[in-house]
Amino acid sequence: DGGITQSPKYLFRKEGQNVTLSCEQNLNHDAMYWYRQDPGQGLRLIYYSQIVNDFQKGDIAEGYSVSREKKESFPLTVTSAQKNPTAFYLCASSTPGQGDTGELFFGEGSRLTVL
Amino acid sequence: QQQVKQSPQSLIVQKGGISIINCAYENTAFDYFPWYQQFPGKGPALLIAIRPDVSEKKEGRFTISFNKSAKQFSLHIMDSQPGDSATYFCAASTGGGNKLTFGTGTQLKVEL
């Protein structure tokens, strides 16, 4: 089935450790995104990539890093510089200008807890 | 700076009733307004979307009403069902694109 796979679903880490969240898509979409979801704050854009080997900062990029070496993959690293990393992280993909919808397709998310 | 304001934060509706969620935006360059539905533990999924050249769009029990002059849009769920219980997010973007700015979400509970 086509879709977006995020792993791991749950992750615990100690303060000061970096952690990498995986996002893989087999939808042949050009664009991929990382959002952070916190209660009462909606979804906030961390990074996005519209094409392989290129990515841009979103609204809350500080303390995060990404890479886009393959069309299918867009991993997110939460670094020790991120002051409040505990959150639900969502990866999404889309084909820019797809039809009339501009629809984002989301994965099921990764819940990161910093102990 | 919150560019899309959503209300209410939570909503309880009786089965068969009408659920109404409102959003207001500031950026007049926004030209694409989708609503996403999210069930617990899942990612959001597109529910319905509208562009500002129309004032209303209906898909089944779900309707978006759009007021360009007031910079407001709303989601109406008619004949609300327990299966509609979820979190709903409004969003907006420019150029009809995919870089969405989301509202803060509304947690809807439909009671029997």
Side-chain angles (χ1 to χ4, degrees):
Chain A
D1 288 356
I4 298 178
T5 302
Q6 289 188 241
S7 62
K9 196 171 180 69
Y10 299 95
L11 184 62
F12 298 87
R13 80 152 215 224
K14 295 180 179 179
E15 282 190 20
Q17 291 180 335
N18 292 354
V19 62
T20 297
L21 307 180
S22 171
C23 178
E24 302 279 331
Q25 55 102 355
N26 60 4
L27 299 169
N28 199 32
H29 285 167
D30 293 309
M32 297 186 74
Y33 312 77
W34 275 104
Y35 283 88
R36 169 178 171 145
Q37 184 174 5
D38 297 282
Q41 296 195 53
L43 282 69
R44 293 180 291 166
L45 182 63
I46 304 172
Y47 268 98
Y48 65 104
S49 168
Q50 295 181 313
I51 196 169
V52 174
N53 292 321
D54 187 42
F55 49 83
Q56 289 78 41
K57 293 181 179 180
D59 301 318
I60 56 165
E62 184 176 354
Y64 299 98
S65 66
V66 294
S67 63
R68 186 84 188 277
E69 298 177 359
K70 299 187 300 181
K71 186 176 184 179
E72 303 80 18
S73 178
F74 191 40
L76 173 73
T77 296
V78 184
T79 75
S80 57
Q82 168 50 232
K83 295 181 180 179
N84 187 19
T86 294
F88 188 54
Y89 291 89
L90 287 160
C91 179
S93 71
S94 72
T95 297
Q98 177 182 355
D100 192 40
T101 66
E103 180 176 0
L104 292 183
F105 293 82
F106 284 88
E108 295 199 339
S110 293
R111 186 167 296 280
L112 172 64
T113 302
V114 175
L115 304 174
Chain B
Q1 181 183 1
Q2 185 182 354
Q3 294 193 56
V4 180
K5 294 183 179 181
Q6 184 172 347
S7 64
Q9 186 174 352
S10 63
L11 181 62
I12 299 175
V13 174
Q14 296 299 309
K15 179 182 176 183
I18 303 173
S19 304
I20 302 174
I21 305 170
N22 301 300
C23 284
Y25 62 96
E26 300 166 1
N27 187 350
T28 55
F30 285 147
D31 60 1
Y32 174 67
F33 303 90
W35 285 87
Y36 280 77
Q37 179 188 55
Q38 183 182 32
F39 293 104
K42 303 294 185 182
L46 179 66
L47 184 63
I48 187 173
I50 196 169
R51 294 192 184 275
D53 51 341
V54 296
S55 61
E56 185 175 281
K57 183 173 182 180
K58 183 176 181 180
E59 292 185 1
R61 297 184 293 108
F62 301 90
T63 300
I64 299 179
S65 297
F66 183 80
N67 185 329
K68 188 174 182 179
S69 61
K71 293 186 288 185
Q72 295 175 347
F73 59 110
S74 60
L75 176 69
H76 292 64
I77 306 174
M78 312 300 289
D79 187 27
S80 298
Q81 300 296 312
D84 296 331
S85 297
T87 300
Y88 293 82
F89 293 96
C90 62
S93 68
T94 60
N98 313 105
K99 186 170 172 288
L100 296 171
T101 298
F102 283 87
T104 52
T106 296
Q107 193 167 358
L108 170 66
K109 182 177 181 181
V110 181
E111 294 184 335
L112 293 170

